[in-house]
């Protein structure tokens, strides 16, 4: 592409393209919005693929710094209830979280990934969060306290 879809769409929206009729402009805008959707969405998966992911609610029971990690990271131990138990994970969540504001809080995690060694920590689950534009992570939490181990549908 000569120009990114965002650049062309912004030009259309800001009336920098004068020689295009309103109808053509609308068609171009729709096409560019579809391109933006395609560029930002991951590959479509089936419900059967999604159903394989075991996402659960758990409570953070301990938190420490991962001293060996290249990027600032915390080691979380999370209680996912009697069926799964306590699992450990290393996560780059130091911008907003520490012992004082995370221990005792509930988080959401993917529990059925294989273990992964991250800076000498056996990471046993993936804690879920939204990634802001600057890379900071905002963890996902249930809107009210729930039983540890509940499945996310």
């Amino acid at each position: 592409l000569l120009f990114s879809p965002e650049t062309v769409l912004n030009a259309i929206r800001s009336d920098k393209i004068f020689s295009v009729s309103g109808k053509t402009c609308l068609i171009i805008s729709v096409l560019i919005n579809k391109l933006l959707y395609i560029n930002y969405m991951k590959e479509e998966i089936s419900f059967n693929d999604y159903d394989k992911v075991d996402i659960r609610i758990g409570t953070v029971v301990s938190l420490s710094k991962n001293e060996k990690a290249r990027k600032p990271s915390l080691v979380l131990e999370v209680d996912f209830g009697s069926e799964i138990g306590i699992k450990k994970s290393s996560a780059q969540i130091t911008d907003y979280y520490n012992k004082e504001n995370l221990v005792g809080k509930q988080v959401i995690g993917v529990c059925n990934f294989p273990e992964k060694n991250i800076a000498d920590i056996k990471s046993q689950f993936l804690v879920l969060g939204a990634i802001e534009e600057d890379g900071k992570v905002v963890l996902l939490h249930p809107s009210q306290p729930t039983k540890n181990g509940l499945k996310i549908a």
Side-chain angles (χ1 to χ4, degrees), residues 88-131:
K88 187 184 285 191
S89 183
S90 180
Q92 296 173 8
I93 56 171
T94 58
D95 291 301
Y96 296 127
Y97 303 102
N98 55 50
K99 271 186 181 180
E100 289 73 35
N101 67 10
L102 197 54
V103 172
K105 302 287 185 190
Q106 289 191 304
V107 295
I108 298 171
V110 175
C111 295
N112 64 332
F113 281 142
E115 284 187 3
K116 184 175 183 178
N117 191 345
I118 301 174
D120 287 343
I121 300 295
K122 283 187 180 178
S123 196
Q124 302 168 315
F125 77 97
L126 174 69
V127 65
L128 297 181
I131 302 171

Side-chain angles (χ1 to χ4, degrees), residues 126-141:
L126 174 69
V127 65
L128 297 181
I131 302 171
E132 296 180 322
E133 290 175 355
D134 60 1
K136 295 176 183 174
V137 177
V138 179
L139 294 178
L140 302 181
H141 299 275

Side-chain angles (χ1 to χ4, degrees), residues 48-63:
N48 288 337
D49 290 335
Y50 169 76
D51 201 38
K52 293 175 187 176
V53 183
D54 190 6
I55 307 171
R56 307 275 184 132
I57 300 282
T59 300
V60 178
V61 294
S62 75
L63 190 73

